[in-house]
Amino acid sequence: MAKRTFRTIAVAAVLAAGLSLSACGGSSTASTSSSANSGTPVKGQTITWGIEKEPETLNPQANGQDSSTPILRNLTDSYLYLADDGSYQPWLATGYKQSDDQKTIDLTLRQDVTFSDGEKLDADAVIANFDYYASKNNSHPATWQEYLDSWKKTGDYTVEFTLKQVYPGFLAALSDLSTAPISPKSLKESKELAAGGKSVALTGPYTIKEYKQGSQLTLEARNDYKWAPQTLSKQLKSKESLPYAKELVFRFLPEASTRTGALTSGQVDIINGVPSQDINQIKSNSKFDYYQVLNSGTAYSLYFNTTKAPFNDVNVRKAFQLGADYKAIVKSVYYGTGTYADQSFSPASVFYNKAFKGITFDKAKANKLLDESGWKKRDAKGYRVNAKGERLSISLYSDAPYVRDSRDVLNQAISSELKKNVGIEFTFKARDLGTVTETWKKNTNDAFDNSMSGLDISTSVDSVYLWKADPNRVFLKNDQKVVDLIQQGQSAKTKKDRQTAYDKLQDYVINDQAYVLPLYIPRDNWAASKSVHGFVTSKVAGHLFSSGTVWKEQ
């Protein structure tokens, strides 16, 4: 068989999908005990969700929203299943073998899997998907593609992948949405491939019944689905086959008060994206359970545009870091329920370092740094100006579809504190994707705000720190030391050596050069009626998995 090779460079994020049972809430947050085992699952019901963010696409390979993962997981599966012990278990594949040099992976598929259009998932289907990834038709290349050298069919149900270098993110990719297989027929014939839809056939336990854009999405269970991961089935300890619910209804409720009201009034069974101001109210209500899990990958952070003033000056970058008490701001904005980011990596990542010492609020030092850089005077509104009378003004234009978790409120609070403490004018504006893209093309945006989930931290760091999309939004790759440390973290063969590289990387980009300002750790959080059970989360990825395991009492 001829080997295929990639012709494109990757840019999009790798999303994770390892699993564990989630804890029920009440007055507590998620852990490893679960309501999943609270009685015998009841099949055949309709479960209704209230969702904060509508997916930008229903094509899992094109998805760039972490918040959409729990919806899309109902439509699709992955080749491997990441267990909480870090091992990759069978799913659509019965297993894999990796060469001693870690550059070759042989994947063996199950022989009973079909797409929702009846097509078989075999080696030819896998090759068709990877050929599509590499084609010009794919407008959403993924990070792992840069490291994959070739792929070939070695049998009717076996495929061999060859990497250009050691890259731990590829096995992760085989267990996440970015490689979720699409029917070869859909790849060739569907006219809604980019957006996803009924004509895009996938392998998951549900298919699209009805989609009313801007209102709700209704999914219906497949009667022939029988390839849920064995590891998951064992965790659930149920003789009932997945999925449990006959129908899933996702109502899109962007207004926080509307979501909470829909839950408390019984209009929905579950809400995803529980408003911070309502968490304590729900936790204290005996009718509901509250759940949360911290996302893995990188924290929600600001990445400063160092190619132009004012952030081409390290003193200004450090003054921005030191000029506000971000820990106190996060506590206030999230009503004491948020998790402040004391470094770039989430506590859910195995490379999170508890001993890391990052940014500490220091108003006096921040003001001194700005004085040293020539921003000594103030204008009539209290903002700093330079000798030319130009105001120290910083603008952040953010992609509106990704503004979740009260990020607009968070940045507004930061703006207020920076003005009061150090005289910096900081404005945050959520705009449509096209408008924000234009600001980057014209290089008028001063910072990029982003969080990037990732099963292996290498995928998150590579996607953001080494941003490869056009126009550029992150400029860390302009510093060769950053590039070198990232490559060391990716290619090291032991966890200890990877940890050393990533510790040095964080210290350099946060403390030394002040390229990055970590703010808070994103989370998946949801609340449900006491009668609803079966939630499953991933410890490693930090996500609610899917709704296929959820059921409610009659």
Side-chain angles (χ1 to χ4, degrees), residues 390-445:
E390 298 168 331
R391 180 181 290 180
L392 181 49
S393 182
I394 294 163
S395 298
L396 193 166
Y397 293 87
S398 181
D399 298 304
Y402 300 100
V403 178
R404 62 182 181 102
D405 301 340
S406 300
R407 291 178 178 179
D408 51 346
V409 179
L410 174 64
N411 280 282
Q412 289 161 11
I414 290 171
S415 174
S416 177
E417 288 299 297
L418 287 173
K419 178 184 179 182
K420 179 179 68 175
N421 294 335
V422 292
I424 293 176
E425 181 183 43
F426 172 57
T427 56
F428 177 89
K429 300 176 182 179
R431 297 290 186 266
D432 63 87
L433 295 174
T435 298
V436 176
T437 297
E438 281 301 310
T439 67
W440 287 111
K441 286 182 178 179
K442 297 176 181 178
N443 201 22
T444 56
N445 210 342

Side-chain angles (χ1 to χ4, degrees), residues 144-215:
W144 50 264
Q145 292 180 215
E146 182 179 357
Y147 302 94
L148 181 58
D149 183 51
S150 64
W151 54 100
K152 66 178 182 179
K153 173 182 174 181
T154 55
D156 289 344
Y157 290 91
T158 55
V159 178
E160 179 186 280
F161 300 98
T162 303
L163 302 177
K164 298 175 183 177
Q165 64 183 63
V166 175
Y167 181 62
F170 187 66
L171 282 176
L174 292 178
S175 70
D176 69 36
L177 292 177
S178 69
T179 63
I182 296 174
S183 166
K185 184 177 180 181
S186 296
L187 290 174
K188 291 180 180 179
E189 301 178 6
S190 176
K191 295 181 179 180
E192 53 184 355
L193 192 58
K198 289 185 177 181
S199 67
V200 179
L202 303 166
T203 63
Y206 291 91
T207 59
I208 298 171
K209 179 180 181 180
E210 183 180 33
Y211 182 28
K212 296 179 180 178
Q213 196 164 4
S215 177

Side-chain angles (χ1 to χ4, degrees), residues 303-314 317 439-448 471-479 514-515:
Y303 297 84
F304 301 139
N305 183 351
T306 57
T307 66
K308 69 184 190 73
F311 281 143
N312 60 350
D313 183 345
V314 67
R317 299 197 299 269
T439 67
W440 287 111
K441 286 182 178 179
K442 297 176 181 178
N443 201 22
T444 56
N445 210 342
D446 293 313
F448 176 53
N472 198 8
R473 295 184 176 210
V474 183
F475 303 90
L476 277 73
K477 65 178 178 288
N478 293 346
D479 187 327
Y515 292 143

